[in-house]
Amino acid sequence: MVHPTYFIAPGAGIGSLRLEHADLPELQVHEVRVKVGAVSLNYRDLMIALGDYGPLEGVTVPCSDAAGEVIAVGSSVSRFRPGDRVITNFFPHWIDGDPTPAKTRAAPGGSADGVLRTLVQRHEDSLTAAPARMSFVEACTLPCAGVTAWNALFELGRLSLGHSVLIQGTGGVSTWALQLARAAGVRPIVVSSSEERLARARELGASATANYKKREDWVDLVLEQTGGLGADLVVDVGGADTLPHSLRACRVGGTVAVVGGVSGFTTSIGVVDLVAGAKRMAGVLVGSRSMTERLVRAVESSAIRPVVNRIFAFDDAHQAFQWLGMGRHQGKVVIEVGPS
Amino acid sequence: MVHPTYFIAPGAGIGSLRLEHADLPELQVHEVRVKVGAVSLNYRDLMIALGDYGPLEGVTVPCSDAAGEVIAVGSSVSRFRPGDRVITNFFPHWIDGDPTPAKTRAAPGGSADGVLRTLVQRHEDSLTAAPARMSFVEACTLPCAGVTAWNALFELGRLSLGHSVLIQGTGGVSTWALQLARAAGVRPIVVSSSEERLARARELGASATANYKKREDWVDLVLEQTGGLGADLVVDVGGADTLPHSLRACRVGGTVAVVGGVSGFTTSIGVVDLVAGAKRMAGVLVGSRSMTERLVRAVESSAIRPVVNRIFAFDDAHQAFQWLGMGRHQGKVVIEVGPS
Amino acid sequence: MVHPTYFIAPGAGIGSLRLEHADLPELQVHEVRVKVGAVSLNYRDLMIALGDYGPLEGVTVPCSDAAGEVIAVGSSVSRFRPGDRVITNFFPHWIDGDPTPAKTRAAPGGSADGVLRTLVQRHEDSLTAAPARMSFVEACTLPCAGVTAWNALFELGRLSLGHSVLIQGTGGVSTWALQLARAAGVRPIVVSSSEERLARARELGASATANYKKREDWVDLVLEQTGGLGADLVVDVGGADTLPHSLRACRVGGTVAVVGGVSGFTTSIGVVDLVAGAKRMAGVLVGSRSMTERLVRAVESSAIRPVVNRIFAFDDAHQAFQWLGMGRHQGKVVIEVGPS
Amino acid sequence: MVHPTYFIAPGAGIGSLRLEHADLPELQVHEVRVKVGAVSLNYRDLMIALGDYGPLEGVTVPCSDAAGEVIAVGSSVSRFRPGDRVITNFFPHWIDGDPTPAKTRAAPGGSADGVLRTLVQRHEDSLTAAPARMSFVEACTLPCAGVTAWNALFELGRLSLGHSVLIQGTGGVSTWALQLARAAGVRPIVVSSSEERLARARELGASATANYKKREDWVDLVLEQTGGLGADLVVDVGGADTLPHSLRACRVGGTVAVVGGVSGFTTSIGVVDLVAGAKRMAGVLVGSRSMTERLVRAVESSAIRPVVNRIFAFDDAHQAFQWLGMGRHQGKVVIEVGPS
């Protein structure tokens, strides 16, 4: 089944992105065919294009996150029917439990073909029902950004009512973290370099905000806001540059969730800070389908609407990548593929 | 009540250690007076002497860990009676639950007076009943080294039957970790620079050992021993030099317990390793009285006898510190203060 | 120091309640003297009066929960100063960690003298700072009812955003559970026998409600509201009569928090239900000071105002007990002791 | 592919067991064909035969637990190759995480065809690699009995070094619990009605034993053995008759793991016991494949050899069921199907 599909050469830049017509193999008994409605971009997609995401060879279909409608199912499929609205899982093989190398292999858009195409075919186990009453444009922001924020706050961080969380930046994961924290009665403190984006963060429920370009001692703001103790959780998206500050901004016995250290750089940390504060630093690797299901349920039972920064047409994927690269978005950058 | 007491000037070296006669204040209603039987040394005591343990001023009584016999109790004391055998808790105010700055304040031998003396007076809440059938020399190894190992393995690491743990070195914490792991059906892998100490580690139950001076690729040994996955827990005692290797030797989703990074140095870590492996690095800050009680119970129900490397007489405290500084011990260095 | 104090003879009924002048012992070094502002009643206080709370002898000062102002502190007190607003802890010796018989001994108003008096004297460790900006009338509802609800939802039940909880009744614990669930993004389903109280429950944020007098199949409502799965947590306040229904209303792998089985009766449960559903039934025994502190923080960071049903004057304690006994209240019944 | 297969009519008794020749369907792409080496019996198999296990209709192949050798794999199978030694999982769809109705559906030998046959065909996801160096006769005791004991002790009970566990009886689950506890440094206390089986339990590592026929106050023995506190975990296999005693024998804050209440009877429990002791009662529903893998690893790294009580020939399945029904076995009853 021939259908429009984007291809990219990892490391060859955004310019290598090109739209072609690809063939879809025959539907296997456990597979589901999805008509893609929308695809969201992650910083990872840009890094892969630029060659900053480890060694990847050949040509691949970019992007990991899609939402769409089921149009056909294999004979053994039991979880979905044509007409169901679904989202793709970031890791097709990580269903539940703790991660293992076997579960986190073959992530689409990286080591396996991705979803920037009009039709996607997947084993039924690697899809999740989309949240009720949500457009494809909104729903496609969950698989990577939404789940990463969920994992950091509730699986790793075990945050609940009354806790505090320091959120760095206003990108996709950070904005999801802000909205989820607010909905769960967790106090979000947001730092960013833009007054405009901080104003929007306050509208979305940030308890306190700081412009780290204007206030160098922003870690002190976190301490002020937490009775001198530091935040229960820090969502660190910066990696190399921010980790030492994140450790200081975290309370004794608290956790720094490292989600953005995919920058490939190393960083120096003070071992004393870790030990004397009995603090934890933990990498967050998106999450399982089970976490995705918990996120979907949480979204359905709350008033959360994902923040979509800009929507690009399918033909304008090139511009979407470039816009993401400028780093001035708040929330998610989405490519609309079909009607919602 | 005048009694022999050692004093030391933090930062002034082992040479500043001197034995004097100090006065004991009146016993308060909640206090217990203990006739000290034995005191164990920790690397921290040496660091304090050498000035490598942060800013400490004035003169203090060194050492944090003692075992002895209760000889008097205040009128409101309910937990102990004269004749009871007790050990001191490392943190007098950390009874239970998670650490906070209030709970970990005033650690004896550092920011508060320590226990290298013939009589110690403490609030009853900061003592724990010593394990039954254990000499003072053995029992005094629990408060810091034993509890740190316990916390790393079972509280932080949640290890149980069938897990694996990589243990670095053969000092006090490491030897306790080896013995506790063995008793719990956890597979201990030990690395050290001494063939002799590795042989002893195997006698104590190490499943596999490596001499990191002879085998530079000792991380590969860990991978071999764990089906290519890495250890569930790594007990890192080296800090700056060992952390990058510890991260590599740790399985996806596993934990590096940092107990020895009190070296005051910073280290470089690869943020990618943390994120791509969903790994955790967590500082271990000794532990609570409640953990101490769990350790005591575990020791009583198993055949564990603490490994005491050398016993020094009370008058030879100076030599004990020097011996510890040579770093050639396996297990604990103890100063016997009174009859056991 | 002579001060007005209520006494009651356990088992002799509400009629045995009498107001006398009692003497206050000298303030000990670790003690705090509190001028009581308000005291809240719990069903337990009524059961003690009626002799339904196990064997208690002699005469005791009733009630466990008070809020007030510190007016004097002993010489060793470090946690409070005169002028501080505090609440009493239900278990004076349960500071943190898991419960033990030693920690849950001597609960005021039962096996130890209670707080229905104008002055209370306590060890500083058995008090918690009251929530900021809360009257004594409101704050005195936390120690038993608020903490029990907190423990059930967040410590035992580990509920977070998107979970569902079935709440039985609209008494003190149930109303606290409803408000805490709502603030944490947890979906509360409430059953009661009164349309009026269900209407108020909906105002307080109940997602769904059922009148079990009108709808015998209220368990089916819970299933409908949870996609056929059952609630993640059931807060069972009825004990004997409700437990079998609670088990049915609870999802596979879910928990029934038993908080109200203090009725002294036994109940029949189907063992098959427990095993085939991998369900848990767990008793909730109020909670620790540490949980109280977490509740205070949660209350301060949310918009929760405790629901006070009726306020009685100090001289009308007798009527307050009678009103509680009629079982028609929603939220807490409070006795105002001094100015707020 | 025609092969010898047992069939049974649920509810029609052991007499309805008959050996026939059945056809094996074509191997699907994700399926694995296993030549069965041995099958173990569980009390559940007897209950199904006798009609005590809920409504089951028609005729089914009995038994849930087999070990054998892979002889063919479908074209998409990646986890196994011909020659691999495997065990079947009790729940084919419960891979990891918490149980749900979808995961625990279609358990072989009950609502789906079982394994008492010479060839078994399964989706590759519902098999686990057998422990190295273990015969089929030994390995077939893991799927239900071994995993149930593992789940009770380590997943639900979170037992570790120094904890205590009360084990009732000496059947398959109980003997596995005894051996696993011993290997993990947990103190097992065993009660049974047979002196001979108690003697064997002591050989297997029981710390203390009681004959409940001779010592009616066996709960007191548990209290004596645990410093008056009660056991951290009680493995209750009796259900109706034993639960009230199990609750008394369990410490404050401890857990009663209900594994044997599959008797279909209801029991009376004191709600007060549950609440006043902050105790938990939780049903254990065998476990996931992930738990099975953890059990396999634990078995491989310890010296545990499953206790096999009697081995019957494939043709003598009838006698095997009858022997199990007499309740005089210790450990597992196994039917050898092919060469090990």
Side-chain angles (χ1 to χ4, degrees), chain A residues 99 101 243 252 258 261 264-272 274-276 278-285, chain B residues 99 243 252 258 261 264-272 274-276 278-285:
Chain A
L243 266 178
V252 167
V258 185
F265 301 117
T266 57
T267 188
S268 286
I269 59 159
V271 179
V272 171
L274 212 62
V275 177
K279 295 179 184 181
R280 298 192 303 164
M281 283 174 51
V284 174
L285 191 55
Chain B
L243 265 178
V252 167
V258 185
F265 301 116
T266 57
T267 187
S268 286
I269 60 160
V271 179
V272 170
L274 212 62
V275 177
K279 297 179 183 180
R280 300 192 301 166
M281 283 174 51
V284 174
L285 191 55

CSV table of all heavy atoms in Angstrom, one decimal, chain A residues 99 101 243 252 258 261 264-272 274-276 278-285, chain B residues 99 243 252 258 261 264-272 274-276 278-285:
chain,number,residue,atom,x,y,z
A,99,PRO,N,12.5,-1.0,33.1
A,99,PRO,CA,13.1,-1.1,31.7
A,99,PRO,C,14.2,-2.1,31.7
A,99,PRO,O,14.8,-2.3,32.7
A,99,PRO,CB,13.7,0.4,31.5
A,99,PRO,CG,13.9,0.9,32.9
A,99,PRO,CD,12.8,0.3,33.7
A,101,PRO,N,17.2,-3.7,28.5
A,101,PRO,CA,17.6,-3.4,27.1
A,101,PRO,C,16.7,-4.0,26.1
A,101,PRO,O,16.4,-3.4,25.1
A,101,PRO,CB,19.0,-4.1,27.1
A,101,PRO,CG,19.5,-4.0,28.5
A,101,PRO,CD,18.3,-4.2,29.3
A,243,LEU,N,22.9,20.6,35.9
A,243,LEU,CA,22.8,19.6,37.0
A,243,LEU,C,23.4,20.1,38.3
A,243,LEU,O,22.8,19.8,39.4
A,243,LEU,CB,23.6,18.3,36.5
A,243,LEU,CG,22.6,17.3,35.9
A,243,LEU,CD1,23.4,16.1,35.4
A,243,LEU,CD2,21.6,16.8,37.0
A,252,VAL,N,17.2,17.7,50.9
A,252,VAL,CA,17.8,16.6,51.5
A,252,VAL,C,16.9,15.4,51.3
A,252,VAL,O,15.7,15.4,51.5
A,252,VAL,CB,18.1,16.8,53.0
A,252,VAL,CG1,18.5,15.4,53.6
A,252,VAL,CG2,19.2,17.8,53.2
A,258,VAL,N,16.7,13.5,35.7
A,258,VAL,CA,17.5,14.0,34.5
A,258,VAL,C,16.8,13.5,33.2
A,258,VAL,O,16.8,12.4,32.9
A,258,VAL,CB,18.9,13.4,34.6
A,258,VAL,CG1,19.7,14.1,33.5
A,258,VAL,CG2,19.5,13.7,35.9
A,261,GLY,N,19.5,15.4,29.6
A,261,GLY,CA,20.9,15.2,29.5
A,261,GLY,C,21.2,14.5,28.2
A,261,GLY,O,22.4,14.0,28.0
A,264,GLY,N,24.6,14.7,25.2
A,264,GLY,CA,25.8,14.0,24.8
A,264,GLY,C,27.0,14.5,25.6
A,264,GLY,O,28.1,14.1,25.3
A,265,PHE,N,26.8,15.5,26.4
A,265,PHE,CA,28.0,16.1,27.1
A,265,PHE,C,28.1,15.5,28.5
A,265,PHE,O,27.2,15.0,29.1
A,265,PHE,CB,27.9,17.6,27.2
A,265,PHE,CG,27.8,18.2,25.9
A,265,PHE,CD1,26.6,18.9,25.5
A,265,PHE,CD2,28.8,18.1,24.9
A,265,PHE,CE1,26.5,19.5,24.3
A,265,PHE,CE2,28.7,18.7,23.7
A,265,PHE,CZ,27.6,19.4,23.3
A,266,THR,N,29.3,15.6,29.0
A,266,THR,CA,29.5,15.1,30.4
A,266,THR,C,29.4,16.4,31.3
A,266,THR,O,29.5,17.5,30.8
A,266,THR,CB,30.9,14.5,30.6
A,266,THR,OG1,31.9,15.4,30.2
A,266,THR,CG2,31.0,13.2,29.8
A,267,THR,N,29.2,16.1,32.6
A,267,THR,CA,29.1,17.3,33.5
A,267,THR,C,29.8,16.9,34.8
A,267,THR,O,30.0,15.7,35.1
A,267,THR,CB,27.7,17.6,33.8
A,267,THR,OG1,27.6,18.8,34.5
A,267,THR,CG2,27.0,16.5,34.6
A,268,SER,N,30.2,17.9,35.5
A,268,SER,CA,30.9,17.7,36.8
A,268,SER,C,29.9,17.9,37.9
A,268,SER,O,29.2,18.9,38.0
A,268,SER,CB,32.1,18.7,37.0
A,268,SER,OG,33.1,18.3,36.1
A,269,ILE,N,29.9,16.9,38.8
A,269,ILE,CA,29.0,17.1,40.0
A,269,ILE,C,29.8,16.9,41.2
A,269,ILE,O,30.9,16.2,41.2
A,269,ILE,CB,27.9,16.0,40.0
A,269,ILE,CG1,28.4,14.6,40.0
A,269,ILE,CG2,26.9,16.2,38.8
A,269,ILE,CD1,27.5,13.6,40.4
A,270,GLY,N,29.4,17.5,42.3
A,270,GLY,CA,30.1,17.4,43.5
A,270,GLY,C,29.6,16.1,44.3
A,270,GLY,O,28.4,16.1,44.6
A,271,VAL,N,30.4,15.2,44.4
A,271,VAL,CA,30.0,13.9,45.1
A,271,VAL,C,29.6,14.2,46.5
A,271,VAL,O,28.6,13.6,47.0
A,271,VAL,CB,31.2,12.9,45.1
A,271,VAL,CG1,30.8,11.6,45.7
A,271,VAL,CG2,31.6,12.7,43.6
A,272,VAL,N,30.2,15.2,47.1
A,272,VAL,CA,29.8,15.5,48.5
A,272,VAL,C,28.3,16.0,48.5
A,272,VAL,O,27.6,15.6,49.5
A,272,VAL,CB,30.7,16.7,49.0
A,272,VAL,CG1,30.1,17.2,50.4
A,272,VAL,CG2,32.1,16.2,49.2
A,274,LEU,N,25.9,15.0,46.8
A,274,LEU,CA,25.1,13.8,46.7
A,274,LEU,C,25.0,13.1,48.0
A,274,LEU,O,23.9,12.7,48.5
A,274,LEU,CB,25.6,12.9,45.6
A,274,LEU,CG,24.7,12.1,44.7
A,274,LEU,CD1,23.8,12.9,43.9
A,274,LEU,CD2,25.5,11.2,43.8
A,275,VAL,N,26.2,12.9,48.6
A,275,VAL,CA,26.2,12.1,49.8
A,275,VAL,C,25.7,12.8,51.0
A,275,VAL,O,24.8,12.3,51.7
A,275,VAL,CB,27.6,11.6,50.1
A,275,VAL,CG1,27.7,10.8,51.4
A,275,VAL,CG2,28.1,10.7,48.9
A,276,ALA,N,26.2,14.0,51.2
A,276,ALA,CA,25.8,14.8,52.4
A,276,ALA,C,24.3,15.1,52.4
A,276,ALA,O,23.7,15.3,53.4
A,276,ALA,CB,26.6,16.1,52.5
A,278,ALA,N,22.1,13.0,50.9
A,278,ALA,CA,21.3,11.8,50.6
A,278,ALA,C,20.4,12.0,49.4
A,278,ALA,O,19.3,11.6,49.4
A,278,ALA,CB,20.6,11.3,51.8
A,279,LYS,N,21.0,12.7,48.4
A,279,LYS,CA,20.1,13.0,47.2
A,279,LYS,C,20.3,11.9,46.1
A,279,LYS,O,21.2,11.2,46.1
A,279,LYS,CB,20.6,14.4,46.7
A,279,LYS,CG,20.3,15.5,47.7
A,279,LYS,CD,20.7,16.8,47.2
A,279,LYS,CE,20.5,17.9,48.3
A,279,LYS,NZ,20.8,19.2,47.9
A,280,ARG,N,19.3,11.9,45.2
A,280,ARG,CA,19.3,11.0,44.1
A,280,ARG,C,19.3,11.8,42.8
A,280,ARG,O,18.6,12.8,42.7
A,280,ARG,CB,18.0,10.1,44.1
A,280,ARG,CG,17.8,9.3,45.3
A,280,ARG,CD,16.7,8.3,45.1
A,280,ARG,NE,15.4,8.9,44.7
A,280,ARG,CZ,14.4,8.3,44.2
A,280,ARG,NH1,14.5,7.0,43.9
A,280,ARG,NH2,13.3,8.9,43.9
A,281,MET,N,20.1,11.2,41.8
A,281,MET,CA,20.0,11.7,40.5
A,281,MET,C,19.6,10.5,39.6
A,281,MET,O,20.2,9.5,39.7
A,281,MET,CB,21.3,12.2,40.0
A,281,MET,CG,21.8,13.5,40.5
A,281,MET,SD,23.5,13.8,39.9
A,281,MET,CE,23.4,13.5,38.2
A,282,ALA,N,18.5,10.6,38.9
A,282,ALA,CA,18.0,9.5,38.1
A,282,ALA,C,17.7,9.9,36.7
A,282,ALA,O,17.0,10.8,36.5
A,282,ALA,CB,16.9,8.8,38.8
A,283,GLY,N,18.1,9.1,35.8
A,283,GLY,CA,17.7,9.3,34.4
A,283,GLY,C,16.3,8.8,34.1
A,283,GLY,O,15.9,7.8,34.7
A,284,VAL,N,15.6,9.6,33.3
A,284,VAL,CA,14.2,9.2,33.0
A,284,VAL,C,14.2,8.9,31.5
A,284,VAL,O,14.6,9.7,30.7
A,284,VAL,CB,13.2,10.4,33.3
A,284,VAL,CG1,11.8,10.1,32.8
A,284,VAL,CG2,13.2,10.7,34.8
A,285,LEU,N,13.8,7.7,31.2
A,285,LEU,CA,13.8,7.2,29.8
A,285,LEU,C,12.4,7.0,29.3
A,285,LEU,O,11.9,5.9,29.1
A,285,LEU,CB,14.6,5.9,29.8
A,285,LEU,CG,15.0,5.3,28.5
A,285,LEU,CD1,15.8,6.3,27.7
A,285,LEU,CD2,15.8,4.0,28.7
B,99,PRO,N,15.6,11.3,55.8
B,99,PRO,CA,16.5,12.3,56.5
B,99,PRO,C,16.0,13.7,56.2
B,99,PRO,O,15.4,14.0,55.2
B,99,PRO,CB,17.9,12.1,55.8
B,99,PRO,CG,17.5,11.5,54.5
B,99,PRO,CD,16.3,10.7,54.7
B,243,LEU,N,33.2,6.6,40.0
B,243,LEU,CA,31.8,6.8,39.6
B,243,LEU,C,31.5,6.5,38.1
B,243,LEU,O,30.5,5.8,37.8
B,243,LEU,CB,31.3,8.2,40.0
B,243,LEU,CG,30.6,8.2,41.3
B,243,LEU,CD1,30.1,9.7,41.6
B,243,LEU,CD2,29.3,7.3,41.3
B,252,VAL,N,20.7,-1.5,33.5
B,252,VAL,CA,19.6,-0.6,33.1
B,252,VAL,C,18.6,-0.6,34.2
B,252,VAL,O,18.2,-1.6,34.7
B,252,VAL,CB,19.0,-1.0,31.8
B,252,VAL,CG1,17.7,-0.2,31.6
B,252,VAL,CG2,19.9,-0.8,30.6
B,258,VAL,N,26.3,5.8,46.4
B,258,VAL,CA,27.5,6.5,46.6
B,258,VAL,C,27.7,6.7,48.1
B,258,VAL,O,27.1,7.5,48.7
B,258,VAL,CB,27.5,7.9,45.9
B,258,VAL,CG1,28.8,8.6,46.0
B,258,VAL,CG2,27.0,7.7,44.4
B,261,GLY,N,32.0,9.1,48.4
B,261,GLY,CA,32.4,10.3,47.7
B,261,GLY,C,32.6,11.4,48.7
B,261,GLY,O,32.7,12.6,48.3
B,264,GLY,N,35.4,15.0,48.8
B,264,GLY,CA,35.4,16.4,48.6
B,264,GLY,C,35.7,16.8,47.2
B,264,GLY,O,35.8,18.0,46.9
B,265,PHE,N,36.0,15.8,46.3
B,265,PHE,CA,36.3,16.2,44.9
B,265,PHE,C,35.1,16.1,44.1
B,265,PHE,O,34.1,15.4,44.4
B,265,PHE,CB,37.4,15.2,44.4
B,265,PHE,CG,38.6,15.3,45.2
B,265,PHE,CD1,39.1,14.1,45.9
B,265,PHE,CD2,39.3,16.5,45.3
B,265,PHE,CE1,40.2,14.2,46.7
B,265,PHE,CE2,40.5,16.5,46.1
B,265,PHE,CZ,40.9,15.4,46.8
B,266,THR,N,35.1,16.7,43.0
B,266,THR,CA,34.0,16.6,42.0
B,266,THR,C,34.4,15.6,41.0
B,266,THR,O,35.6,15.2,40.8
B,266,THR,CB,33.8,17.9,41.3
B,266,THR,OG1,35.0,18.3,40.6
B,266,THR,CG2,33.3,19.0,42.2
B,267,THR,N,33.5,15.1,40.2
B,267,THR,CA,33.7,14.1,39.2
B,267,THR,C,32.9,14.3,38.0
B,267,THR,O,31.9,15.0,38.1
B,267,THR,CB,33.5,12.6,39.8
B,267,THR,OG1,33.9,11.7,38.8
B,267,THR,CG2,32.0,12.4,40.0
B,268,SER,N,33.4,13.9,36.9
B,268,SER,CA,32.6,14.0,35.6
B,268,SER,C,31.8,12.8,35.3
B,268,SER,O,32.4,11.7,35.4
B,268,SER,CB,33.6,14.3,34.5
B,268,SER,OG,34.1,15.6,34.6
B,269,ILE,N,30.5,13.0,35.1
B,269,ILE,CA,29.7,11.8,34.7
B,269,ILE,C,29.1,12.1,33.3
B,269,ILE,O,28.8,13.2,33.0
B,269,ILE,CB,28.7,11.5,35.7
B,269,ILE,CG1,27.7,12.7,35.9
B,269,ILE,CG2,29.3,11.1,37.0
B,269,ILE,CD1,26.4,12.3,36.5
B,270,GLY,N,28.8,11.0,32.6
B,270,GLY,CA,28.2,11.2,31.3
B,270,GLY,C,26.7,11.2,31.6
B,270,GLY,O,26.1,10.2,32.0
B,271,VAL,N,26.0,12.3,31.3
B,271,VAL,CA,24.6,12.4,31.5
B,271,VAL,C,23.9,11.4,30.6
B,271,VAL,O,22.8,10.9,31.0
B,271,VAL,CB,24.2,13.9,31.2
B,271,VAL,CG1,22.7,14.0,31.4
B,271,VAL,CG2,24.9,14.9,32.0
B,272,VAL,N,24.4,11.1,29.4
B,272,VAL,CA,23.8,10.2,28.6
B,272,VAL,C,23.7,8.8,29.2
B,272,VAL,O,22.7,8.1,29.1
B,272,VAL,CB,24.5,10.0,27.2
B,272,VAL,CG1,24.0,8.8,26.4
B,272,VAL,CG2,24.4,11.3,26.4
B,274,LEU,N,23.3,8.1,32.3
B,274,LEU,CA,22.3,8.1,33.3
B,274,LEU,C,20.9,8.0,32.6
B,274,LEU,O,20.1,7.2,33.0
B,274,LEU,CB,22.4,9.5,34.1
B,274,LEU,CG,22.0,9.5,35.5
B,274,LEU,CD1,22.9,8.6,36.3
B,274,LEU,CD2,22.1,10.9,36.0
B,275,VAL,N,20.7,8.8,31.6
B,275,VAL,CA,19.4,8.8,31.0
B,275,VAL,C,19.1,7.6,30.1
B,275,VAL,O,18.1,6.9,30.3
B,275,VAL,CB,19.2,10.1,30.1
B,275,VAL,CG1,17.9,10.1,29.4
B,275,VAL,CG2,19.4,11.4,31.0
B,276,ALA,N,20.1,7.3,29.3
B,276,ALA,CA,19.9,6.1,28.4
B,276,ALA,C,19.7,4.8,29.1
B,276,ALA,O,19.1,3.9,28.7
B,276,ALA,CB,21.0,6.0,27.4
B,278,ALA,N,18.4,4.8,32.3
B,278,ALA,CA,17.4,5.0,33.4
B,278,ALA,C,18.0,4.6,34.7
B,278,ALA,O,17.4,3.9,35.5
B,278,ALA,CB,16.1,4.2,33.1
B,279,LYS,N,19.3,5.0,34.9
B,279,LYS,CA,20.0,4.6,36.1
B,279,LYS,C,19.9,5.7,37.2
B,279,LYS,O,19.6,6.8,36.9
B,279,LYS,CB,21.5,4.4,35.8
B,279,LYS,CG,21.7,3.2,34.8
B,279,LYS,CD,23.1,3.0,34.4
B,279,LYS,CE,23.2,1.8,33.4
B,279,LYS,NZ,24.5,1.5,33.0
B,280,ARG,N,20.1,5.3,38.4
B,280,ARG,CA,20.1,6.2,39.6
B,280,ARG,C,21.4,6.2,40.2
B,280,ARG,O,22.1,5.2,40.4
B,280,ARG,CB,19.1,5.7,40.6
B,280,ARG,CG,17.7,5.5,40.2
B,280,ARG,CD,16.8,5.3,41.4
B,280,ARG,NE,17.1,4.1,42.1
B,280,ARG,CZ,16.7,3.8,43.3
B,280,ARG,NH1,15.9,4.7,43.9
B,280,ARG,NH2,17.0,2.7,43.9
B,281,MET,N,21.8,7.4,40.7
B,281,MET,CA,23.0,7.6,41.6
B,281,MET,C,22.4,8.2,42.8
B,281,MET,O,21.8,9.2,42.7
B,281,MET,CB,24.0,8.6,41.0
B,281,MET,CG,24.8,8.0,39.9
B,281,MET,SD,25.8,9.4,39.1
B,281,MET,CE,26.5,10.1,40.6
B,282,ALA,N,22.7,7.6,44.0
B,282,ALA,CA,22.1,8.1,45.2
B,282,ALA,C,23.1,8.2,46.3
B,282,ALA,O,23.8,7.2,46.5
B,282,ALA,CB,20.9,7.3,45.6
B,283,GLY,N,23.2,9.3,47.0
B,283,GLY,CA,24.1,9.4,48.2
B,283,GLY,C,23.5,8.6,49.3
B,283,GLY,O,22.3,8.7,49.6
B,284,VAL,N,24.4,7.9,50.1
B,284,VAL,CA,23.9,7.2,51.3
B,284,VAL,C,24.5,7.9,52.5
B,284,VAL,O,25.8,8.0,52.6
B,284,VAL,CB,24.4,5.7,51.2
B,284,VAL,CG1,24.1,5.0,52.5
B,284,VAL,CG2,23.7,5.0,50.0
B,285,LEU,N,23.7,8.3,53.4
B,285,LEU,CA,24.1,9.1,54.5
B,285,LEU,C,24.0,8.3,55.8
B,285,LEU,O,23.1,8.6,56.6
B,285,LEU,CB,23.3,10.4,54.5
B,285,LEU,CG,23.8,11.5,55.5
B,285,LEU,CD1,25.2,11.9,55.2
B,285,LEU,CD2,22.9,12.7,55.3
